[in-house]
Amino acid sequence: MALTSTGTLARVAVATAAGALALAGCTPTSESEPSATPDVVIGEDTGEEIESITVALPGSLSSLYVGQESGILNYYIAAVTQEGLLSIDADGALQPGLAESWEQPDPVTYVFDLRDDAVFQDGTPVTADDVVFSLEMARDETQSPGLAYYLTNVDTIEKSGDAQVTIRLLEPDAAFAANMTSAGAAFITSQAFWEEHGGDVGTSTSLLLGSGPYQVTEFVPDSHVAFERVDTWWGELPAVKSIRVDFISDESTRLLAAQSGDVDIAFNVPFAQAAQWEALDDMRVTYVNDLSYVGLYFNIGVAPFDDPAVRQAIAHAVNRDAFVSTLLDGHGEAATAIMTPESLTSVHSPEDARALLATIPQWEYDLEAAKAALAESSVPEGFTTEILTPNTGPQLGTAAQALAQDLAEVGITLNVREVPIEEWLASLDPSAGYGLNYMWYFSTLGDPAEIPTYLIGAGNPAQYDNAEVLELLSQVGAETDPAARIDLLVEAETLQAEDAINIPLWWGQSATGFANDLGVTDFSPFTFVSTWPTQLYRAGE
Amino acid sequence: MTVRISELSVVGPAGVMVEPLSATVEPGATLALIGESGSGKTLTAKSLVGLLPRGFTATGAAEVGGVALPLAGGESAWRAIRGRTASLLLQDPFTSLSPVHRCGDQIAWTVEAATGSRLARSERDAVVEARLAEVKLPARAARAYPHQLSGGMRQRVAIAAALASDPQLLIADEPTTALDASNQAEILDLLRAVQVERRLSVILISHDLGVVRGRTDQVLVMREGHVVERGETASVLAAPSHPYTGALIEADPVVAAQSGTRLSPAQPVEGELVVRVMGLEKSFGTHRVLDDVSLDVSRGEILGIVGESGSGKSTLARCVAGLEHEDGGTISIDGVALAPGRASRTPDQMQIVFQDPYSSLNPMMSVGAILAEALRVAGRDASEVDGLLETVGLPAQFVRKRPAQLSGGQRQRVAIARALAPRPRLLICDESVSALDVSVQADILRLLAGLRDELGIAVMFISHDLAVVRMIADSVVVMWNGRVVERGECRDVLTAPTHEYTRLLVAAALRENTAPQIGRE
Amino acid sequence: MVAVRVLGVLGVLWVLSMVVFAMMYLAPGDLVKNLLGNRPSTPEAIAAVREQYRLDDSVVEQYLHWLGGVLTGDLGQSIRLQVPVIDAIGDRLPLTAALSALAFLIAVAVAVPLGVRSAVKAGGWLDRIGGALAVLGLSAPTFAVGLVLLYLFAYYVPIFPIYGGGDGGLDTLRHLVLPAVTLALGLGAIIVKLTRTAMLRELESDYVTFARARGLSPRVVNRLALRNAAIPIVTGASLVLTFLVGGTVLAETTFALPGLGTLLQDSVLFKDLPVVQSLTLFVAAVIAVIALLADVAYLLLDPRVRRQMGAAS
Amino acid sequence: MTQPLGASSLTTSPQPPALRGPSARRPRRRRPVLVALALLVLGIAFGAAAFGSLIFPDAMTQDILASQLPPGSPGHPLGTDELGRDVLQMSVAGARSALLGPVIVALGSMACGVVLGTLAGYQRGWIDFAVSRWTDLLLALPVLLAAIVVSGVFGGGYWVTVVLLIVLFSPSDIRIVRAGVLEQSARPYIEAAQMLSLSRWRVMFRHILPNVTSLVVTNAMLNVAFALVAFSSLSFLGVGVSPGIADWGRQLTDGRAIMFVNPAAVFMPALLIVVVAVAANLVGDWIGQRLSRVGEDVR
């Protein structure tokens, strides 16, 4: 992996998720159920207490507060100590969190009733004032640049009772409630704590205060963060007493550490190393769809990509099945849409979800068709262009090189340039002037509209301005019936697919290494954005 | 306590460097080893303290006062000998003392090495003070670093250090060559006094017959590893039996000076005035190097400029050549005043021949290329290179050679040829023979004299050595502290100096003893 | 003299600050994007961030603002870590300093005696080994050496920890052994070369010959030569330092140490301008100060220069 | 009596010690076998750099969607890398990129050093002042650190790195040449050239420059070794050579991911880097000693 030991800048940056080929030990899966290293049988819960576990992160965190730094790893770590009003279960469905219950009296009003036994780790109770304050801070662009986006639709946040908070939206948003989880924008902290530190929370000196089952005891950026179990949590006392998260930016070093038995959990094992992790005697690798989307998109403000025939030619040259089977070694799934199947699971079964998404028109891998399309285009003789790939995603670079080979046959010269994640992020801005671009997006909410809204909604990076699509998306926001929303989204995606704006490549998986004596219940794509340490147990022989 | 050397021979990687050699030195007596570069005299000296360079071995036998020297022995065998039985004094006092240690410490180490234990502070101070007193230095010299002392004082410290653990044999390898003339006699006399006092045997190595005369008892003349002549110093010098010794004696400027031999025509030609220097002033910072210096040089005249280092004579030469910018005064050539610096001068006005023949030729250019370049600037054809070589007495095949393949004398001839190429009106010789062996020195001097006679060129001949100047110069200017203190016909100035400083120089040049000779047998 | 040198150093640092500032300003990548991440952002959010980090000021204003802060002792706030730059640097400095010091100690303790012995017994077996080690140390990339050591002594023979800076005290020392040895190899290579060359030169000098001729023991002679050789060795310190600083980044990355090297690397990628600025200047200042100290040491070591300096001032 | 007296190089003539003959300094002579071996290594490496693309024309364009194989696999003696490309072919093909950059860096830095160093050392004055301050500035920066900052900030890439390293390596060349020129300028043969009123260009480039060649060439050789190491270090930190280029440093960096599947993917390029760097170091030292021995005879 490349050198970004910087935690993550965006949720995108973090995941060093997939690597290139790994010697497969594992059959490809298209199920959303996690798949683990074969031949490893994890014992039953022994009920033993676990003194401590070590979690190895492939990069460092700069801040523990997600509002400040919102990479995917930040979410994972924040979930250990902080809670949202709601939580997400293994199926992606919303469950109570700090709020015992919630209701939606009208399309723009949400009322949350707080539980009365919630206490911060310093012993002070979680009050409605704290919740209002935390959310207000989250929607403040300078306090929480990483979270404010989720709350732009919020009009007011008010304390409406001793243990009640009411949030009013500007416009209806069916998916809003998910934002009130620790997978979204709700990281409830104590107002007193925040003010004591002048808003500088999540740093090595101020640490972080939440209401979760673990308290941060030490944070050394670029080194480690340590957690201790507290008895103030409202839920059942978890088995693990202390958690130490070590940041090991060098993948070889991390693998070595695992081989020495120093690691209990390793997030985001690169696929290139997956086989070596699987080969470890006392560790297993578990794969799970990670709600990420990888695709290409065209900035139609840049010639010749304003020409649909050019876009079609490139779309026909994309061999996404080969990417998935060889580059990802099956740890991923050829994408037929921008939405991930997991985001539909609250309504549809996995099979139905995939079937539904498959109805969206596809550009088949067909180099002859690609040549034909190019011949029809404004640049029949071909042209030269460049694509930037982020250095944290080597599999993206490899896929781009494979694409470049196919495009060369078609008559298009594609130069692949690997750049630091930061430069890649900057290149996503339409004004950067790159016509052919990668999109790599991790969703944490599991809301089907999240990624499409970004990629084809107003102000999208492709400069795609289709009134019909925009209309459909605004209906999505207003529609409260999940199934109807999904249908509207499919309709919008169909339109964009016909215009060949975004070319979905794959839905990603993440690989997590677990020590064999460590069991985890209900492992799902949503596990690490909830209070995941509570799901760990000491497995028997 | 007699030193006996029998059949001592040194073999190096290139063969036998010193042929078997035998000698005896009585206590209190001095044996002189005389020879030019490459004669093997230094190797002989080093073999007697076991300090031959790697790859060289000594055979034969040597004993000092009954103690056999472990000629073929290892470092540990030698350690018992060095300092206590035999000690070596080196040529250059500027480098033979560690620059970062105090003089007293360096003397004390010798004592400590002999006793094998560290001295107590007070004991050490007392020992050092006594040793310093022996070489007539005050006790405070112990606190000084070498660079704080003059060359002569440094050599005294070195002598004290070399003798600190009372050896019976002192080998002095050119002990005064690096010193100013006025210091040389002093050091030699001091050595002599100490030697008599201690009844020390001394082997004195020198290229300089003047040093040998009157201060040594026996002499060995060496050439290319062979002893060509040996005997009582006085008789060898008076009546050399080997032609080489004869040639050496004849070539020696001191001998020549004493015998009155001169290379100049009896009557200097009355030539037209070539160079006139008027009231030249030059300072480096606050230090005034040239103070109202005036002189004239005529065609066909060799003007000797004499003075010790720091007297300003080289700066004068460089100002005339345009390599330094004078602060005031005028320099005119053929009546035309020149602005300071090279820009106002042309190659055919003056050329300069430097002291060091090893660095005055571009090592990367062949002799032919060097001379052709010099000819070209004067508009002369490169085909004249052969003629030029002939003028300086070198065969035509030297054209292809590189400086590295030439000896010092040959290089200096090439340098002179280069200087002559633009047909300069004035030739400046800045210590041009000082770095050469005496025999070579004489050759070059003859060449210069011949050039003056044939070409009628004007020469400014700068030297610290009055003896050399006396051989060649027609008239002489004596400089001291940037001023001209005496001037006149060469013969007059040297035979009847009027200025005190000139008298000192003359005495030094003749290697005269300034101290009374005590206890000579 | 020293005052002139100090002024010179300050001048260099000042120019450097402008160069670094201009470079970071011109660099591709966008701080706003870094902070907001890959997601749609409202114009208000962008404006707020730009306002907060004064991105709308002209580059000159930004620079002057920063410079003003530096002169009043305020290095600014790290954008990435949200702590004052001075704290970010201060937190990591001890580890890097300890690592560098340890590496330096190991290198000096091994390389100086080795260089001395190599020179004294030039051509001997120790000289050959020293020479081979020196060439290898200069030729092997620091990270490659680090990886090899990691595999050997942390994995196959697990006597040292694999990563991290430890929990302070002896534990930290234990964690620093391998990275320090890694650095010390390259460092030692330079020092061996310097020492050997300097010693050879001194051993061939007249005063050594004279010392030997007076019967001084080899130990005393070598000490004498080393004392003289110390001058060029100490003057070569800047070379050593340059290597050390660069190597630290590699070693820290390889061994996952939270030091200044990793801080710089991360800050560069994040465009954390205040940290990169301050850190670059800090490193340059440290090097300059140590070069200055080397000069002062030169003064102390060489009485000749001491005298000249005394005369000049 | 103008013939040299004797063959001994020991002189007792009153020259300053610096002018002593060669025996005064006795550099360790590299054993010829070792140097021959080093030259052979360099020869092979540069041969591979020049003709590697002819031997394995499609090393980089091998089917990149194949799988990783350990060493000793049929058809792949050193196995395949993380993209399924043959390690042996990659190592040969990688020579060009791995060596071209360092060589250009060494040559470029040498050119800067020769031009600026000579001007500064001989002309003195404001040129010297400007050049000296420039080198002071650059020398205040550790090479690797500066490279990380600049490469990291501008996104790295091969040619950016080359230019960067030239700039960062040049101060030492400039200083070495300048010091050499200063030393030579003070020698009488330069003053003799001035006495002939030769133009300053002729003095600088005809007279002085050939005499500092040994310094320049030696340093250039050592720079090749340093640049090779620097390139690979930068690649390790992710700011050097971009992916998609066959390059030892890149191979080493990428190959670490599959260290246990195919150790050769890491150790082969690492070994090549170290061996070539050692060879360049040895040859550099050797050239330096040979040339300076030539020089010593004449000094």
Side-chain angles (χ1 to χ4, degrees), chain B residues 53-54 56, chain C residues 204, chain D residues 8-11 20-27 296-297:
Chain B
R54 200 169 295 184
F56 289 78
Chain C
E204 276 158 1
Chain D
S8 166
S9 51
L10 280 177
T11 78
R20 292 289 169 72
S23 74
R25 244 179 278 156
R26 187 171 301 278
E296 264 171 18
D297 286 343

Side-chain angles (χ1 to χ4, degrees), chain B residues 41-42 318 362 373 439, chain D residues 1 12 191 202 207 211 298:
Chain B
K41 57 189 194 302
T42 293
R318 296 171 59 79
N362 187 339
E373 181 178 57
S439 56
Chain D
M1 294 240 319
T12 51
E191 296 197 321
R202 191 171 167 83
H207 284 265
N211 285 291
V298 300

Side-chain angles (χ1 to χ4, degrees), chain B residues 387-409:
Chain B
L388 207 52
L389 281 173
E390 199 190 324
T391 317
V392 295
L394 292 176
Q397 63 263 34
F398 271 52
V399 167
R400 288 186 211 290
K401 296 205 179 192
R402 290 198 180 237
Q405 297 164 290
L406 308 183
S407 71

Side-chain angles (χ1 to χ4, degrees), chain B residues 71 128 134 187 246 287 302 351 366 383 399 406 453 471 475:
Chain B
L71 287 182
V128 168
E134 189 180 9
I187 293 295
H287 179 57
I302 295 183
Q351 285 298 321
S366 70
S383 60
V399 167
L406 308 183
D453 298 342
M471 273 181 80
S475 49

Side-chain angles (χ1 to χ4, degrees), chain A residues 203-377:
Chain A
T203 69
S204 55
T205 47
S206 62
L207 304 181
L208 195 58
L209 188 64
S211 56
Y214 291 87
Q215 178 177 20
V216 194
T217 54
E218 192 188 12
F219 172 44
V220 183
D222 297 338
S223 173
H224 64 273
V225 50
F227 299 92
E228 284 295 333
R229 188 175 69 188
V230 291
D231 55 9
T232 52
W233 193 47
W234 52 268
E236 200 182 318
L237 199 64
V240 179
K241 279 175 79 178
S242 69
I243 301 174
R244 184 186 162 103
V245 179
D246 279 323
F247 310 137
I248 310 178
S249 47
D250 188 273
E251 285 296 357
S252 312
T253 310
R254 190 161 71 130
L255 179 55
L256 265 183
Q259 278 180 322
S260 305
D262 295 349
V263 175
D264 295 297
I265 298 178
F267 286 137
N268 289 346
V269 170
F271 288 158
Q273 283 190 339
Q276 295 163 75
W277 283 85
E278 285 172 6
L280 298 179
D281 285 341
D282 44 9
M283 286 201 89
R284 66 184 187 277
V285 181
T286 306
Y287 300 89
V288 70
N289 288 9
D290 61 0
L291 311 185
S292 74
Y293 161 83
V294 174
L296 296 169
Y297 74 88
F298 302 101
N299 181 346
I300 58 173
V302 176
F305 302 99
D306 50 349
D307 181 351
V310 170
R311 303 200 293 268
Q312 289 164 17
I314 294 177
H316 274 305
V318 170
N319 187 357
R320 80 193 78 182
D321 291 328
F323 292 169
V324 171
S325 63
T326 57
L327 289 184
L328 307 182
D329 202 27
H331 300 307
E333 186 176 353
T336 55
I338 298 172
M339 290 179 279
T340 60
E342 284 71 25
S343 64
L344 312 189
T345 46
S346 54
V347 175
H348 300 286
S349 72
E351 294 74 29
D352 291 348
R354 285 180 173 77
L356 178 61
L357 293 178
T359 61
I360 296 169
Q362 305 296 316
W363 300 97
E364 293 307 320
Y365 174 61
D366 182 349
L367 293 182
E368 290 312 313
K371 284 176 196 164
L374 187 68
E376 296 292 307
S377 75

